[in-house]
Amino acid sequence: MEVNSELELAAAQLAELGHPTRLGIFRVLVRAGRGGVAVGDIQLALDIPGSTLSHHLSRMTRVGLMEQRRDGRTLYCSLKFETVEALLGFLYAECCVGMPQMQAAPQGNCCD
Amino acid sequence: MEVNSELELAAAQLAELGHPTRLGIFRVLVRAGRGGVAVGDIQLALDIPGSTLSHHLSRMTRVGLMEQRRDGRTLYCSLKFETVEALLGFLYAECCVGMPQMQAAPQGNCCD
DNA sequence: ATAATATTTCGATAAACATCGAAGTGTCAA
DNA sequence: TTGACACTTCGATGTTTATCGAAATATTAT
């Protein structure tokens, strides 16, 4: 992947996180962990119209931040943790150049 | 600060980082460190019209990501490192709840 | 088949954003 | 006090986004 398109991908993903509703969704997804959450439960948590929620979910999916899997009539959403790790890794890689007080992206060394 | 407005601030800051040009500016600012960079040098680095650059700088300033200081006829831009740390800290705080493989926001323990 | 549930897609509308040339502002130098 | 330099603000234009009700799709239960 080109350097430049890596930046563009990161920007696209950050832009999706950069909306209060979607950052709220992100929060819910993180807390849900690998198992994911039903769309309906996200809707309960955030209290917004289904069509609006669906729009945001589709945007987040489009940039690889989450994915959906159907189980019966329920759609479960789960965070793509690798993507999030890569994104935070990118930010830290950028930051560590000029910010000695910050740390390089952590790798598998928390809470283990 | 309320929990909710903390989320709104984080979202606003992420949204600003979520634009290729502004993420490019961020990159330049990080590399410049505390001393900052002249607007003109950012323009040279990114090769975009001055009015466009100015618009992006003003947006980034508005959400507290950077600040400007004048020295003669030159305006120097510098990242507000505390803000960036707080933002990344927020993301890590969110993430660590559901992501045991990731680490809590690092505090002053890199490259020192 | 029909109905109920879970969610998405459609379509319309208003608001926010990105872009860039032209004109304006602050600073220094001759 | 005129001119050059370093930027910003203005203004106009086109594009993208956010929102939400209504209609459509997929799945299961009767």
Side-chain angles (χ1 to χ4, degrees), chain A residues 2-73:
Chain A
E2 290 174 62
V3 173
N4 222 40
S5 73
E6 189 189 1
L7 182 137
E8 302 231 343
L9 177 62
Q13 292 166 341
L14 287 167
E16 297 309 327
L17 291 181
H19 183 285
T21 299
R22 287 192 296 261
L23 193 52
I25 293 171
F26 173 78
R27 206 175 213 171
V28 171
L29 290 178
V30 166
R31 280 161 171 67
R34 299 269 169 196
V37 217
V39 171
D41 287 341
I42 303 179
Q43 186 172 4
L44 277 177
L46 301 186
D47 193 29
I48 56 176
S51 54
T52 301
L53 175 57
S54 196
H55 167 247
H56 289 305
L57 293 179
S58 115
R59 292 189 59 102
M60 293 178 74
T61 302
R62 185 150 53 108
V63 298
L65 280 173
M66 50 158 277
E67 60 192 349
Q68 295 184 301
R69 136 190 70 86
R70 178 179 284 278
D71 183 10
R73 15 186 181 190

Side-chain angles (χ1 to χ4, degrees), chain B residues 10 13 19 25 27 35 37 42 44 46 48 55 57 72-74 77 80-82 91 93 95 106-107 110-111:
Chain B
Q13 292 167 341
H19 184 284
I25 294 171
R27 207 174 212 171
V37 216
I42 302 179
L44 278 178
L46 301 187
I48 56 175
H55 167 246
L57 293 178
R73 17 185 180 189
T74 303
C77 304
K80 277 194 155 179
F81 287 91
E82 328 82 67
L91 279 181
C95 287
Q107 285 300 343
C110 166
C111 319

Side-chain angles (χ1 to χ4, degrees), chain B residues 40-106:
Chain B
D41 288 340
I42 302 179
Q43 187 172 3
L44 278 178
L46 301 187
D47 192 30
I48 56 175
S51 54
T52 301
L53 174 58
S54 197
H55 167 246
H56 289 305
L57 293 178
S58 116
R59 292 190 58 100
M60 293 179 72
T61 302
R62 186 150 53 107
V63 298
L65 279 173
M66 50 158 279
E67 61 193 348
Q68 294 183 301
R69 138 190 68 89
R70 179 178 282 277
D71 182 9
R73 17 185 180 189
T74 303
L75 266 172
Y76 289 90
C77 304
S78 50
L79 206 61
K80 277 194 155 179
F81 287 91
E82 328 82 67
T83 301
V84 175
E85 267 189 89
L87 177 56
L88 292 183
F90 173 84
L91 279 181
Y92 269 102
E94 290 306 312
C95 287
C96 218
V97 176
M99 297 174 72
Q101 76 279 22
M102 302 208 75
Q103 177 165 309

Side-chain angles (χ1 to χ4, degrees), chain B residues 2-22:
Chain B
E2 290 174 62
V3 174
N4 221 42
S5 73
E6 189 189 0
L7 182 138
E8 302 232 341
L9 176 61
Q13 292 167 341
L14 288 168
E16 297 309 326
L17 291 180
H19 184 284
T21 299
R22 288 192 296 260

